[in-house]
Amino acid sequence: MTRMNDYAEEMQAMIRRSRFLLFPFWRMTMSFGLGTALLSVCPGAVGADDHTGGHLLIRLLPGASITELASDYDLHIVGQVEGRDLYELRLHNGDHAEEIAQELSADSRVQFAEKETQVELPEVHGKPFHMAFDFSIRAEGYLRQNAYTQIDLGTPVPAATGAAVTVAILDTGVAFSHPGLKGRLLSGYNTLDSSIQPSDIDDGKTNISVGHGTMVAGIVARTSPHASIMPIRVLDADGSGTMLHVLQGLHYAVTHGAKVINMSFGTPERSLVLEDALAEAHDAGIVLVASAGNEASSELRYPAACQGVLAVASVDKDNKRSSFSNYGSYISLVAPGSSIRSTYWTGGYATWSGTSFSSPFVAAEASELLAHHSDWDAGEIGRRIGDTAHKVDTLNPGFDRMLGAGLIDMKAALANSDGGRGGKDD
């Protein structure tokens, strides 16, 4: 009942902001029907089918043959990260996946072997409850919302001397035709189907996550005028994907010039293959940012909990931890994440809540810092963001040292400085 009351209050606020005096259902423009939308509160009615059962991820050591290995273990090769000795293989009998993974890990030809993992958006299980309404094409609420005041964005953002910074967004794709993103998007990549562009489209079973990537992109575009956005589709419209999709997306971002990577998704399952890929990206100087998750717990979520990643939790308009947001020692920073308005896949603007929408504020800040300090590496960027953040512990009794360095401050971060100390890289 509390969740429904919270939803009702948010809807009333959205209606006031949109200046509608009445809100008849026939004026709704939604990404899905009302009946489908209500599925977002049902944990079992979510996402695409889980195709990870009976699948393994394997990274070979140099010189090893995947065809010989597959033959020796009676496995079928079903996918690969292009240009890497990293493969997905299918077992004939999925019941023995854990056992086979352990055997492969001991094989002298194998660096890593583990069960394939499903990744999801934090918001897919109705945490928080959500129905994304696209009220109109009006951009006013998107451009002038309170979140930008919270992070002291300033108007205008100080001019940068460096070139545009490529920010890769691994998500559900982006609506390329959205007027609010005109001139800001690169071609990107679609790991689900490399033959088509990474568009944010309603091609799932429930489509409860269609529009997610477009909203994340809109936050980066508004917060960082120097960002060139690279959409990389690793999730379907139901908000689900596999670790192989993520690894393919990371590889594309790293090899195509990304300087910042935003990852608003997660899994509770630790992956050595993922950690290895992220370490390579971090060592290449790429700033890695991920959402902390919406379980309202200290449960670790990956990639946010991986070393070298800036894990971002959510605060509301009063800088208090959003009721849904995760917390804990692995959190690096907090940013606005409650009732965030951004670009929507249908061409208008919608409001959504979740740590998914906190993460891109930090990715955008990293982009602006790189535009001003192109010689800084990922560690320096992370330390600068952490050093200039404001502690919110006193506003959040009981969560001392569980909300990282605090709320980001764009103005302070972009002020002249030699950098400083802080962040997860210490």
Side-chain angles (χ1 to χ4, degrees):
M1 189 64 182
T2 299
R3 179 176 291 174
M4 291 300 295
N5 289 339
D6 290 344
Y7 162 69
E9 290 174 3
E10 181 175 330
M11 284 299 302
Q12 291 170 2
M14 291 168 68
I15 293 170
R16 287 195 297 271
R17 286 195 298 270
S18 66
R19 299 181 182 178
F20 277 85
L21 296 178
L22 296 174
F23 190 70
F25 279 92
W26 61 267
R27 297 192 66 172
M28 292 182 188
T29 303
M30 301 189 297
S31 64
F32 36 78
L34 181 59
T36 304
L38 291 174
L39 290 174
S40 63
V41 300
C42 303
V46 97
D49 292 337
D50 185 352
H51 297 294
T52 58
H55 287 230
L56 301 173
L57 288 176
I58 296 176
R59 181 166 184 179
L60 297 182
L61 289 168
S65 167
I66 187 61
T67 54
E68 291 180 3
L69 187 78
S71 176
D72 290 346
Y73 288 86
D74 195 22
L75 303 172
H76 179 64
I77 304 169
V78 295
Q80 179 185 8
V81 176
E82 185 177 359
R84 304 297 302 275
D85 288 329
L86 184 52
Y87 301 88
E88 180 178 358
L89 298 97
R90 187 179 70 245
L91 284 72
H92 292 292
N93 186 347
D95 293 339
H96 301 292
E98 196 73 50
E99 177 184 337
I100 298 298
Q102 291 178 2
E103 289 184 28
L104 285 164
S105 296
D107 193 296
S108 61
R109 296 167 290 182
V110 176
Q111 182 177 1
F112 298 115
E114 62 189 39
K115 291 177 62 177
E116 172 63 286
T117 304
Q118 185 176 24
V119 298
E120 292 181 327
L121 297 175
E123 294 76 31
V124 298
H125 291 292
K127 297 178 290 188
F129 180 81
H130 164 70
M131 294 171 69
F133 296 103
D134 183 359
F135 284 113
S136 70
I137 62 172
R138 292 177 61 86
E140 182 178 355
Y142 160 63
L143 295 173
R144 296 177 177 84
Q145 61 188 303
N146 180 69
Y148 303 121
T149 302
Q150 279 183 266
I151 65 172
D152 206 357
L153 179 60
T155 305
V157 173
T161 56
V165 176
T166 298
V167 179
I169 295 177
L170 276 60
D171 214 289
T172 60
V174 173
F176 281 81
S177 61
H178 199 293
L181 300 175
K182 185 177 181 180
R184 305 299 302 277
L185 300 175
L186 303 176
S187 58
Y189 183 64
N190 188 342
T191 68
L192 306 187
D193 186 347
S194 60
S195 66
I196 59 177
Q197 68 178 173
S199 297
D200 197 350
I201 54 177
D202 56 342
D203 61 353
K205 291 185 176 181
T206 62
N207 292 318
I208 59 174
S209 298
V210 65
H212 190 278
T214 301
M215 295 191 72
V216 170
I219 295 168
V220 173
R222 172 64 179 87
T223 310
S224 175
H226 300 103
S228 291
I229 297 170
M230 176 188 290
I232 300 179
R233 193 176 196 212
V234 299
L235 305 169
D236 62 21
D238 300 329
S240 295
T242 68
M243 188 61 71
L244 179 68
H245 293 143
V246 171
L247 296 169
Q248 290 171 331
L250 283 171
H251 181 66
Y252 183 90
V254 171
T255 57
H256 287 77
K259 299 300 181 184
V260 181
I261 299 177
N262 186 82
M263 299 170 284
S264 290
F265 55 80
T267 174
E269 303 294 329
R270 184 182 178 188
S271 167
L272 295 178
V273 178
L274 174 64
E275 290 179 5
D276 184 56
L278 291 172
E280 289 185 356
H282 184 270
D283 291 345
I286 298 173
V287 181
L288 305 168
V289 188
S291 56
N294 298 351
E295 287 73 34
S297 76
S298 59
E299 175 189 8
L300 296 181
R301 302 290 293 185
Y302 302 94
C306 292
Q307 185 66 27
V309 177
L310 298 176
V312 188
S314 172
V315 291
D316 63 17
K317 61 182 179 62
D318 298 315
N319 294 337
K320 296 181 179 180
R321 183 187 68 87
S322 300
S323 60
F324 53 79
S325 180
N326 282 359
Y327 51 88
S329 60
Y330 75 101
I331 302 299
S332 304
L333 301 149
V334 298
S338 293
S339 298
I340 302 300
R341 192 158 179 80
S342 188
T343 48
Y344 200 49
W345 73 289
T346 52
Y349 300 85
T351 301
W352 206 336
S353 297
T355 58
S356 283
F357 310 106
S358 304
S359 180
F361 282 107
V362 176
E365 182 177 11
S367 169
E368 282 303 299
L369 281 170
L370 284 168
H372 288 77
H373 305 280
S374 59
D375 59 329
W376 286 12
D377 63 23
E380 290 173 302
I381 295 296
R383 285 189 289 272
R384 180 62 176 165
I385 294 174
D387 266 356
T388 54
H390 301 289
K391 283 285 187 181
V392 295
D393 289 357
T394 57
L395 294 172
N396 294 276
F399 294 94
D400 188 41
R401 295 188 296 275
M402 295 185 186
L403 297 174
L407 179 67
I408 62 172
D409 186 324
M410 290 280 290
K411 183 177 180 180
L414 293 171
N416 291 330
S417 173
D418 293 328
R421 197 183 49 165
K424 194 181 285 189
D425 293 314
D426 283 354

